[in-house]
């Protein structure tokens, strides 16, 4: 009898955890967002005692450091010049027309009224510079991520001082990338609409294709279905296709006299019907607030419109952790080394690269880093660290991406994916070397290993951030989560180079005895691989100075994490019971 009773107890002890785990799985499936958000609030972060990376600058490295520093100072000067150019928008004449004749606020003044402070993450500020059809400062619109009532929100704000708010192909590309970031990171989206419609001479590059103008409205619908909030503020013209942006948003605010919504303006009405009508009568704030119902809130002045918008954001169903409600979040332990030293560690060329651990030690909290597989595949550095209090897995180039390094990278990326740890890639790939028959087997093994790493990176479901700290060349850049591999954010240092092969290495792409063609191609690579050329074409999310990288990464990780605090991400579904 005693034996039988003990057997029953043993059976219950085995079965009870299994039953509890099944019940928990059912509950978690029923209300994923609510369970996750409450768990995040209660969970105590595990302590970490990662070893310190003691990476001071050695005397033997001084000459390389100083050469890099001189180059970084020249890059920073160009960065400052371009920054000043884009801040002026459409220039003095465009600003005067916008503020005096049209009596509207400048786009940065609007953001000052909308956001909690001016400390926002601006995306792709150099987009639109150096294009074949001319310079379009900031692509004619500002995009970025800032806090509204403590909540990170993405904004897309037209700058009507630039070409009267006309949309160019680069404008559409920038808006679509901003929406993509909002979708990836589940960010509430605010549209500040002041646009004159598409630039008709370039309509073939704006209207017909999949990822062109119409995609904006498709994304709005998809974001709404995903429960990503969208608010539109009409503080200028909404003409032609732009008229759909506020009407497809969840809530819309419109400003009296300066805001208009119509498919065709008064000149088109007169040409078609002969009737003379004012913009206000045709599509003003009164009409759409009182008659058509296209907008939900009527504002007499712009300040009132942004007060409405801030109030709308406060109704969103997010529950932020207590430390983020009015209290400045601890930015984590500062690195032991000055971030200004990163200027001398940013390589002016691949041959001027220093140990990447020196860069890591100037980015991570307390210069601490738990290295993974430190003795294997040493041309790729992998390991765990914290940046502004956020745990990340770091993958950093430290030489040629060899077979062993690629296998190590594949292992580490899958490990981070298994543990839900965000990945940070520090990219400085080597110029592609020409393949030779004698190395065919070695190259084949390397290709297979790199293919394995590419698969791991592509299939990893955790957030990914890439910073190009040097070269971004050839297939190695794909394995290091280049643009094609869909990172949440991709930033460049001003010294970065982005091209199929590095300048000076064109011979690896050409047949022998093509010296003149090689020289021409190298000159073209030198011009087209610069960070500013890349950023002008929206191949990245912006150029950041090395000394600002830690703050940008901290903000990016904060932004990525916020989606955990949204309480309603999808409708609850009942469990299907089967007999």
């Amino acid at each position: 009898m005693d034996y039988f009773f003990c057997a029953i107890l043993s059976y219950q002890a085995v079965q009870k955890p299994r039953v509890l785990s099944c019940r928990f799985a059912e509950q978690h499936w029923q209300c994923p967002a609510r369970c996750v958000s409450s768990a995040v609030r209660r969970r105590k972060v595990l302590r970490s005692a990662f070893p310190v990376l003691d990476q001071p600058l050695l005397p033997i490295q001084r000459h390389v450091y100083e050469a890099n520093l001189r180059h970084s100072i020249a890059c920073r000067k160009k960065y400052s010049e371009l920054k000043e150019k884009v801040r002026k928008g459409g220039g003095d004449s465009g600003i005067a027309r916008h503020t005096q004749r049209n009596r509207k606020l400048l786009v940065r003044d609007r953001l000052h009224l909308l956001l909690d402070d001016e400390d926002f993450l601006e995306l792709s500020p150099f987009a639109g510079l150096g294009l074949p059809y001319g310079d379009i400062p900031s692509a004619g619109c500002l995009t970025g991520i800032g806090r509204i009532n403590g909540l990170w929100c993405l904004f897309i704000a037209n700058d009507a001082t630039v070409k009267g708010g006309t949309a160019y192909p680069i404008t559409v590309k920038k808006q679509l990338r901003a929406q993509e970031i909002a979708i990836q990171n589940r960010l509430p989206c605010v549209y500040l609409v002041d646009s004159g419609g598409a630039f008709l001479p370039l309509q073939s590059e704006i209207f017909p294709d999949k990822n062109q103008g119409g995609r904006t409205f498709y994304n709005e619908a998809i974001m709404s279905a995903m429960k990503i909030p969208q608010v539109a503020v009409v503080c200028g013209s909404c003409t032609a296709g732009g008229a759909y942006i506020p009407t497809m948003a969840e809530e819309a605010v419109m400003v009296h006299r300066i805001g208009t919504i119509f498919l065709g303006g008064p000149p088109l009405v007169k040409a078609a019907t002969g009737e003379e009508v004012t913009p206000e009568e045709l599509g003003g704030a009164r009409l759409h607030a009182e008659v058509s119902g296209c907008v939900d809130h009527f504002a007499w002045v712009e300040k009132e419109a942004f007060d409405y918008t801030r109030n709308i954001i406060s109704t969103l169903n997010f529950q932020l952790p207590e430390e983020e409600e009015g209290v400045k979040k601890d930015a984590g332990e500062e690195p032991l080394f000055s971030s200004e030293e990163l200027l001398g560690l940013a390589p002016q060329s691949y041959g001027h690269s220093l140990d990447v651990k020196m860069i890591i030690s100037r980015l991570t909290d307390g210069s601490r880093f738990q290295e993974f597989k430190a003795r294997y595949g040493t041309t790729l550095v992998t390991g765990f660290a914290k940046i502004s209090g956020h745990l990340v897995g770091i993958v950093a180039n430290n030489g040629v991406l060899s077979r062993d390094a690629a296998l190590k990278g594949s292992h580490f990326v899958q490990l981070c994916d298994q543990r839900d740890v965000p990945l940070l890639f520090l990219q400085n790939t080597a110029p592609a070397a020409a393949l030779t028959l004698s190395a065919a087997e070695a190259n084949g093994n390397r290709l297979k290993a790199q293919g394995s790493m590419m698969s791991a990176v592509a299939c990893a479901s955790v957030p990914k951030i890439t910073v190009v700290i040097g070269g971004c060349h050839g297939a190695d850049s794909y394995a290091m989560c280049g643009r094609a591999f869909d990172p949440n954010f991709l930033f460049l240092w001003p010294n970065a180079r982005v091209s199929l092969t590095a300048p000076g290495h064109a011979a690896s792409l050409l047949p022998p005895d093509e010296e003149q063609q090689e020289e021409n191609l190298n000159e073209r690579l030198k011009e087209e691989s610069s960070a500013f050329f890349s950023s002008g074409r929206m191949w990245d999310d912006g150029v950041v100075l090395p000394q600002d990288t830690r703050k940008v990464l901290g903000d990016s990780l904060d932004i990525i994490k916020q989606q955990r605090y949204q309480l309603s991400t999808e409708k609850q579904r009942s469990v299907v019971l089967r007999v």
Side-chain angles (χ1 to χ4, degrees):
M1 187 70 176
D2 291 340
Y3 175 80
F4 178 72
F5 181 69
C6 291
I8 292 175
L9 286 180
S10 299
Y11 176 78
Q12 289 178 340
V14 170
Q15 292 299 317
K16 190 173 183 180
R18 188 176 303 168
V19 171
L20 287 176
S21 66
C22 291
R23 287 176 181 170
F24 176 76
E26 284 184 2
Q27 291 170 0
H28 184 70
W29 181 78
Q30 285 180 323
C31 51
R34 193 175 299 277
C35 292
V36 169
S37 62
S38 60
V40 168
R41 291 196 302 274
R42 292 196 301 266
R43 186 173 60 208
K44 185 177 180 181
V45 177
L46 294 176
R47 284 188 181 182
S48 61
F50 297 157
V52 172
L53 266 182
D54 189 14
Q55 293 286 331
L57 184 66
L58 302 176
I60 196 172
Q61 299 166 329
R62 176 64 61 179
H63 68 289
V64 177
Y65 178 89
E66 289 177 351
N68 288 339
L69 182 59
R70 288 191 296 271
H71 183 258
S72 289
I73 290 172
C75 289
R76 183 170 62 179
K77 182 181 177 182
K78 185 171 183 181
Y79 174 93
S80 300
E81 290 171 355
L82 294 177
K83 196 82 170 175
E84 183 62 27
K85 181 175 182 177
V86 299
R87 284 190 72 88
K88 291 180 179 178
D92 295 338
S93 60
I95 291 172
R97 182 176 62 250
H98 185 82
T99 57
Q100 296 172 20
R101 193 180 79 183
N102 299 332
R103 309 229 174 246
K104 294 191 285 189
L105 294 176
L106 296 173
V107 65
R108 293 186 185 273
D109 294 333
R110 288 169 173 168
L111 293 176
H112 178 74
L113 294 175
L114 176 66
L115 304 176
D116 293 349
D117 51 49
E118 296 183 4
D119 183 22
F120 61 86
L121 177 62
E122 186 172 354
L123 300 170
S124 305
F126 300 146
L129 297 181
L131 298 180
Y133 45 83
D135 284 343
I136 315 295
S138 288
C141 71
L142 266 67
T143 61
I145 305 167
R147 289 186 188 270
I148 303 176
N149 295 330
L151 189 71
W152 287 109
C153 297
L154 185 137
F155 59 81
I156 302 173
N158 293 114
D159 184 357
T161 69
V162 179
K163 314 291 185 182
T166 304
Y168 285 76
I170 193 67
T171 312
V172 174
K173 187 174 183 180
K174 187 171 182 178
Q175 291 173 344
L176 292 179
R177 173 56 184 159
Q179 288 182 317
E180 184 183 346
I181 289 172
I183 291 170
Q184 274 187 310
N185 302 291
R186 297 195 61 85
L187 291 171
C189 190
V190 180
Y191 304 92
L192 307 187
V193 191
D194 189 357
S195 171
F199 182 63
L200 294 179
L202 294 175
Q203 65 82 29
S204 64
E205 299 176 44
I206 297 173
F207 172 71
D209 207 356
K210 176 182 176 181
N211 288 317
Q212 291 180 352
R215 193 71 178 188
T216 303
F217 316 123
Y218 173 86
N219 286 343
E220 278 196 75
I222 293 299
M223 291 162 71
S224 181
M226 293 175 65
K227 288 199 170 185
I228 298 174
Q230 297 170 91
V231 181
V233 184
V234 183
C235 42
S237 298
C238 262
T239 308
Y244 294 104
I245 291 176
T247 55
M248 293 185 69
E250 291 180 3
E251 290 193 57
V253 185
M254 195 168 180
V255 184
H256 184 49
R257 294 198 183 279
I258 64 172
T260 55
I261 302 175
F262 35 60
L263 293 175
L268 193 62
V269 173
K270 186 174 182 180
T273 67
E275 182 183 357
E276 291 190 4
V277 63
T278 67
E280 187 69 19
E281 292 170 335
L282 183 64
R286 279 186 181 277
L287 175 84
H288 287 304
E290 299 172 3
V291 180
S292 74
C294 283
V295 299
D296 309 295
H297 306 277
F298 174 92
W300 290 100
V301 293
E302 288 196 62
K303 185 182 184 306
E304 184 184 2
F306 294 116
D307 288 340
Y308 273 129
T309 307
R310 290 179 59 83
N311 291 338
I312 292 167
I313 295 298
S314 69
T315 68
L316 303 184
N317 203 5
F318 282 78
Q319 187 165 348
L320 300 177
E322 292 179 3
E323 65 268 22
E324 293 191 16
E325 294 178 356
V327 181
K328 184 92 173 159
K329 189 180 79 71
D330 183 15
E333 187 182 358
E334 287 295 316
L336 301 181
F337 305 96
S338 171
S339 61
E340 294 293 326
E341 293 181 3
L342 289 169
L343 290 170
L345 299 175
Q348 66 171 332
S349 66
Y350 187 73
H352 285 74
S353 301
L354 295 172
D355 192 340
V356 76
K357 292 179 186 177
M358 298 177 72
I359 293 176
I360 294 172
S361 67
R362 286 151 179 84
L363 293 176
T364 60
D365 293 357
S367 299
R368 297 181 180 276
F369 181 64
Q370 174 66 39
E371 192 167 1
F372 176 77
K373 283 185 182 290
R375 295 175 177 269
Y376 182 79
T378 54
T379 55
L380 189 73
V381 174
T382 57
F384 297 98
K386 287 191 175 182
I387 296 177
S388 298
H390 299 281
L391 180 65
V392 294
I394 297 177
V395 182
N397 288 117
N398 206 26
V400 176
L401 189 62
S402 63
R403 169 190 174 275
D404 292 351
L407 291 175
K408 169 181 170 178
S410 177
H411 183 176
F412 183 72
V413 167
Q414 292 176 74
L415 182 65
C416 289
D417 192 36
Q418 180 75 11
R419 297 177 182 174
D420 287 330
V421 177
L423 284 160
L424 169 62
F425 294 85
L426 301 178
Q427 188 177 138
N428 181 23
T429 59
L435 304 180
T436 59
L437 290 175
S438 59
E441 185 177 352
N443 283 323
N445 290 334
R446 180 184 171 196
L447 285 171
K448 286 191 288 185
Q450 286 185 350
S452 174
M453 185 174 174
M454 286 184 202
S455 295
V457 172
C459 296
S461 58
V462 294
K464 298 179 277 286
I465 303 173
T466 302
V467 182
V468 182
I469 60 174
C472 174
H473 306 300
D476 290 9
S477 68
Y478 303 146
M480 290 297 293
C481 200
R483 186 64 146 181
F485 277 64
D486 215 15
N488 292 57
F489 297 99
L490 188 148
F491 301 107
L492 305 182
W493 280 3
N495 58 292
R497 293 278 177 184
V498 181
S499 58
L500 181 60
T501 190
H505 293 266
S508 63
L509 303 175
L510 297 172
D513 304 323
E514 293 284 351
E515 294 181 6
Q516 185 59 47
Q517 190 175 354
E518 179 186 338
E519 185 179 343
N520 294 339
L521 184 54
N522 278 323
E523 283 298 317
R524 186 170 179 179
L525 285 170
K526 186 176 180 180
E527 177 190 350
E528 295 182 354
S529 65
S530 80
F532 303 109
F533 185 94
S534 167
S535 207
R537 285 150 181 78
M538 287 283 301
W539 298 343
D540 52 74
D541 296 316
V543 178
V544 299
L545 296 174
Q547 64 269 35
D548 297 336
T549 305
R550 175 176 159 82
K551 183 183 183 309
V552 169
L553 291 175
D555 286 347
S556 301
L557 291 164
D558 265 345
I559 289 162
I560 289 168
K561 186 178 180 181
Q562 178 179 273
Q563 60 187 293
R564 300 184 184 185
Y565 308 135
Q566 186 175 2
L567 298 185
S568 56
T569 57
E570 60 180 62
K571 293 182 180 178
Q572 294 187 21
R573 295 170 293 178
S574 58
V575 180
V576 178
L577 299 177
R578 300 178 184 275
V579 178

